[in-house]
Amino acid sequence: MPNAYFNIQEPKNEPYFTYAPGTPQRESLKKRLKELRSETIEIPAIINGEEIKTGRTTDVVIPHNHSHKLARVHLCGEKEVAIAVDTALKARREWADLPWEERVAVFRKAADLVTGPWRDTMNASTMLGQSKTPHQAEIEAAGELADFLRFGAWYLAKIMEEQPHSSDGVWNRVEYRPLEGFIFAVSPFNFTAIAGNLPSAPAMCGNVALWKPSTESVYSNYFFMRLLKEAGLPDGVISFLPGEGPDVGDPVLANPQLSGLHFTGSEATFNHLWKTIGSNIDTYKTYPRIVGETGGKDFIFAHNSANADQLVTATLRAAYEYQGQKCSAASRMYIPESIWDDFREKFLAEVADVKVGDVEDFSNFMGAVISRKAFDKISGYIDYAKKADDAEIIAGGGYDDSKGFFIEPTVIQTSNPKFKTMQEEIFGPVLTIYVYKDEEFEKTLTLCDETSPYALTGAIFGENRFVIKKMADRLRNSAGNFYINEKPTGAIVNQQPFGGSRRSGTNDKAGSVMNMMRWLSPRAIKEVSAAPTDWRYPYMDDEN
Ligand code: NAD
């Protein structure tokens, strides 16, 4: 046991490399891309530190070059889940008893590996497997992932310091225990950082986790799993269980030892998982903690006092970076008539300049969407808009899957503020714009608040301070991450804790102390110096 209080200095957010021509990082990243692309690897499940090849496999391809096979991934089912639960619970005995500072040391080392010797591998695997540009990979697969790990360790240290008041003769303490049982971490395809954090945050708190990565991002996720081993994570603390959702999910959720779900992904999947937990509720040993961050229908709302040039840049980045496949991506916009012509001209000129293609060509701003399923879904929305009477495609609208799953940055203008693409999450490079009459500003604020079931991110643009205040008030519950004169994407750990409410999730704020608290079960301890020896109270004394 430690003979000192250990503290952790407040970390700094990881700075990003630019990968501009002439920089050594650019050459090094290109070299790693070439190496990774030149081989097809086998991705096993990893259970109790052991690589398991189940023989049931599916191919992992490059989304922008889908004939190129990056890997064959081995898929898990009931049998592997049973072994993983068993070994995780055995690993828990020692891991949960390990002092918190020893546990976080592993993840702090992992962060330094991410930003050091593994940086190129994390970025290159994310670029190839998830079709991210160098910048989009760097800000998350290196930057955000390291931030999650470093700040998570610091948050945990701060929680440990949080102690109750003690009165004379009493010593009150609170200890922060991991949850009994195991955590199920289920991750989406779109962020390597989120995937890495979902099992890591509970593990730092002393829990053991079964991690089901998305088969669409399993390539980069597997490298992170290997990195954790190099960082010294003991076997069994995190098991890696690639597989089809229900094949892994059903047996995991049926296990009485489930103590928490740490989920990021779509609303439909989260609803299904929550319902399943609900229907199994009588069987669990402890009420499972449910943390889930889901979809968004994120807005940009401009007032007529907005700066058009700032609005153009913010809208373009928010709608089209990573092909609009960010939960925070701007996908609906409200703009007043009086600035529309000016904005339209400037914005469409910039959109026409956006290059879409192979992310290994560093001049491209956009890559491909993740899969054929995503391609079909997004192009379906575009086709719907093409046929509609109350909408018009004013930019883009093209798509081509002959080599990769490419979709042009697309702008739909609609006269119907409740048009389908103003309401539903598309998760692709499609922005729908509704032009409102300046005098209907107030009414349009209500529309913005009521149009979508989600409430994840939103941005307002305007220079008039009274108006900014009014918009912020009226849209108070429309977004969990709210931006003023800034794009609604790009939240940074420890700066803008991330998450939304309504149908966007439980808003437990990934990358914050609030999230870490969810993986801890406090025990309050009261110790008295001199316990009473008479059970009678003074009010009972004889009055005479
Ligand atoms: P998805 O819901 O299709 O998949 C998420 C994960 O759930 C995958 O690993 C998938 O295999 C798994 N899954 C599916 N069915 C399952 C089952 N029955 N049991 C267990 N696991 C199951 O989501 P996606 O396409 O990977 O990600 C995109 C979605 O994620 C979008 O809706 C996006 O808005 C959301 N997202 C939200 C945030 C946020 O912070 N709010 C961040 C990133 C992504």
Side-chain angles (χ1 to χ4, degrees), residues 284-317:
Y284 299 125
K285 294 202 168 164
T286 185
Y287 286 103
R289 301 266 172 99
I290 301 180
V291 173
E293 304 302 335
T294 63
K297 188 70 195 172
D298 311 297
F299 61 84
I300 292 183
F301 196 117
H303 179 252
N304 59 21
S305 64
N307 174 317
D309 294 328
Q310 290 172 2
L311 192 58
V312 165
T313 298
T315 308
L316 191 146
R317 285 184 168 167

Side-chain angles (χ1 to χ4, degrees), residues 308 311-313 315-316 320 333 335 340-354 392-397 409-413 431 433:
L311 192 58
V312 165
T313 298
T315 308
L316 191 146
Y320 303 126
M333 184 178 197
I335 185 163
W340 169 236
D341 287 343
D342 181 29
F343 174 82
R344 178 190 157 112
E345 190 184 326
K346 290 175 173 158
F347 184 60
L348 296 191
E350 296 299 333
V351 173
D353 241 19
V354 168
E392 184 194 353
I393 296 196
I394 57 172
T410 297
V411 186
I412 301 170
Q413 188 188 345
L431 172 73
I433 302 179

Side-chain angles (χ1 to χ4, degrees), residues 19 29 118-128 134 137-138 141-142:
Y19 300 96
L29 177 61
W118 283 76
R119 192 174 198 124
D120 284 338
T121 302
M122 292 314 300
N123 282 335
S125 59
T126 300
M127 288 175 68
L128 293 173
E138 167 74 5

Side-chain angles (χ1 to χ4, degrees), residues 437-455:
K437 291 191 176 22
D438 289 50
E439 58 276 19
E440 291 186 355
F441 170 66
E442 301 261 350
K443 190 176 143 200
T444 313
L445 279 175
T446 306
L447 265 175
C448 177
D449 179 51
E450 292 178 352
T451 294
S452 137
Y454 299 108

Side-chain angles (χ1 to χ4, degrees), residues 184-191 194 212-217 243-250 253 261 263-270 272-273 276 292-296 298 325-328 370 373 377 425 427 454 456 498-500 504-505 510:
F184 188 29
V186 182
S187 55
F189 79 83
N190 64 339
F191 279 90
I194 294 178
K212 200 210 84 60
S214 164
T215 41
E216 293 167 346
S217 60
E244 296 304 329
D247 292 352
V248 176
D250 289 353
L253 299 181
L261 170 68
F263 174 83
T264 302
S266 65
E267 183 201 357
T269 307
F270 189 48
H272 170 76
L273 299 179
T276 310
E293 304 302 335
T294 63
D298 311 297
Q325 297 173 118
K326 298 188 184 189
C327 49
S328 54
I370 193 71
K373 195 171 144 214
K377 180 180 166 198
E425 184 181 53
F427 226 56
Y454 299 108
L456 191 52
F498 193 78
S504 290

Side-chain angles (χ1 to χ4, degrees), residues 8 14 95 100-119 122 142 145-151 153-154 200 204 224 226-234:
I8 293 180
E14 178 66 21
W95 181 246
W100 66 267
E101 62 271 10
E102 307 294 336
R103 297 193 309 256
V104 301
V106 172
F107 291 96
R108 281 163 53 90
K109 178 167 178 180
D112 291 346
L113 293 175
V114 167
T115 55
W118 283 76
R119 192 174 198 124
M122 292 314 300
L145 180 52
D147 285 353
F148 271 135
L149 301 171
R150 291 184 183 133
F151 283 97
W154 182 60
S200 297
M204 246 183 254
F224 181 62
R226 282 176 41 187
L227 179 155
L228 285 176
K229 191 168 178 77
E230 188 174 319
L233 187 72

